[in-house]
Amino acid sequence: SDDGDGDDDDGDGDAPEWTVHGFTDPARRAYGALPDSSPFVTKLLLYFKMAGVPVARAAGDVRSAPRGKLPYATHKGEAEPVTDSQRIVEHAAKLGGAYDLDKDLSAAQRATAHAVRRIVESSLYWCVVYAVFVPDENWALTRDELVAGKGFLFRKMAPMVARSGMVKQLTAHGIGRRDDAEVTDEAQADVDALAAIIGDSEFVLGTSGPTTVDAVVAAFVLHALGAPHQHGALDAIRNNEVLCAYAKRIAERYFADGEWCSADDVA
């Protein structure tokens, strides 16, 4: 829930041990629907919610962020911030207790979780990035979200730098050299694989409670459902009944009212 001062403590009276620095001011919702414009930030928020650990939130700045990337997290008593969403999760898990969502997993389950995370973060992610940065009509939506609440100079300069940088990454990756239909086909293959793995299970690995890979999959699906962009790669996610039902169950369980909603709800 929002307290309107740019810092969100998830409603817990105790001062949170962790602060997650993301892209979006916690006092607002990205695209009017999402906790943050980045699914990697939402992944972290979900992970900490699943662990039952309250966190503070802050809007970061890539220009001063460690390694020039968001999100990053700071932990009480630790001088150095932790960068990269997966490194943050792994760093927290080493603290043990509620933080270690994967402590009861078998070697085979850990391998499946690793493969699923790679499908989402190393393949499907790039299809979604293509969808929201490359088509001009979608870039207009992404640009408006990027500069929301920012000063004049940032609004003038940052969008050009952000888009050109992301297009270069897409081209280097290879997916930026494909057309819309090919990107959609790749996204569809990833989605079909994820749905086959999840099936009718409440959680990705068929466990009785959430594991870290649930934070990954749910965050990316919820972003597809909450974003206003139109593209075949996003439709591949939105039209998959298994993934949508799964992600909405996760949202209902871990997000308070108003923390997440679909693009249709906003419209």
Side-chain angles (χ1 to χ4, degrees):
S1 57
D2 288 328
D3 58 15
D5 63 0
D7 210 21
D8 185 351
D9 68 3
D10 277 359
D12 191 282
D14 298 327
E17 292 189 7
W18 289 88
T19 300
V20 174
H21 301 257
F23 288 88
T24 304
D25 186 330
R28 56 181 297 275
R29 291 282 167 249
Y31 302 110
L34 299 164
D36 195 275
S37 59
S38 167
F40 291 103
V41 177
T42 303
K43 164 190 169 179
L44 287 176
L45 299 178
L46 271 174
Y47 161 72
F48 283 114
K49 285 174 181 290
M50 289 171 174
V53 176
V55 297
R57 291 180 56 201
D61 187 330
V62 294
R63 294 168 293 184
S64 57
R67 300 187 181 183
K69 294 184 70 176
L70 296 173
Y72 68 92
T74 49
H75 184 237
K76 277 185 181 177
E78 295 186 40
E80 294 297 318
V82 188
T83 59
D84 183 89
S85 67
Q86 190 60 26
R87 287 188 66 246
I88 294 166
V89 169
E90 292 170 359
H91 184 89
K94 290 177 182 176
L95 298 174
Y99 286 108
D100 192 359
L101 296 179
D102 297 347
K103 60 182 178 295
D104 296 325
L105 294 183
S106 67
Q109 287 175 315
R110 290 176 187 274
T112 300
H114 178 77
V116 168
R117 184 172 70 83
R118 290 296 192 194
I119 289 172
V120 174
E121 295 185 351
S122 299
S123 182
L124 185 58
Y125 166 70
W126 289 106
C127 297
V128 173
V129 169
Y130 178 101
V132 302
F133 274 89
V134 173
D136 289 339
E137 64 275 16
N138 282 349
W139 162 243
L141 297 169
T142 305
R143 179 197 61 219
D144 290 349
E145 174 57 38
L146 176 69
V147 302
K150 299 294 195 299
F152 172 78
L153 204 56
F154 185 95
R155 294 199 308 270
K156 196 76 173 172
M157 301 298 296
M160 291 185 295
V161 174
R163 192 186 196 191
S164 63
M166 195 57 78
V167 168
K168 285 178 183 176
Q169 289 187 54
L170 288 164
T171 302
H173 177 276
I175 199 162
R177 304 171 192 271
R178 301 179 185 178
D179 60 29
D180 283 339
E182 291 171 322
V183 173
T184 296
D185 287 345
E186 181 152 332
Q188 187 67 60
D190 289 337
V191 165
D192 290 345
L194 292 170
I197 291 168
I198 296 171
D200 58 1
S201 298
E202 185 168 1
F203 300 105
V204 171
L205 300 176
T207 48
S208 59
T211 61
T212 56
V213 75
D214 286 292
V216 175
V217 177
F220 277 79
V221 176
L222 291 173
H223 268 252
L225 296 176
H229 311 76
Q230 298 299 316
H231 191 276
L234 293 166
D235 287 341
I237 301 171
R238 294 165 180 161
N239 294 335
N240 188 283
E241 294 181 3
V242 170
L243 290 190
C244 290
Y246 159 78
K248 287 177 180 178
R249 285 197 304 271
I250 295 292
E252 288 171 3
R253 180 183 285 239
Y254 296 105
F255 281 137
D257 289 345
E259 283 192 281
W260 173 85
C261 56
S262 72
D264 291 338
D265 293 333
V266 174

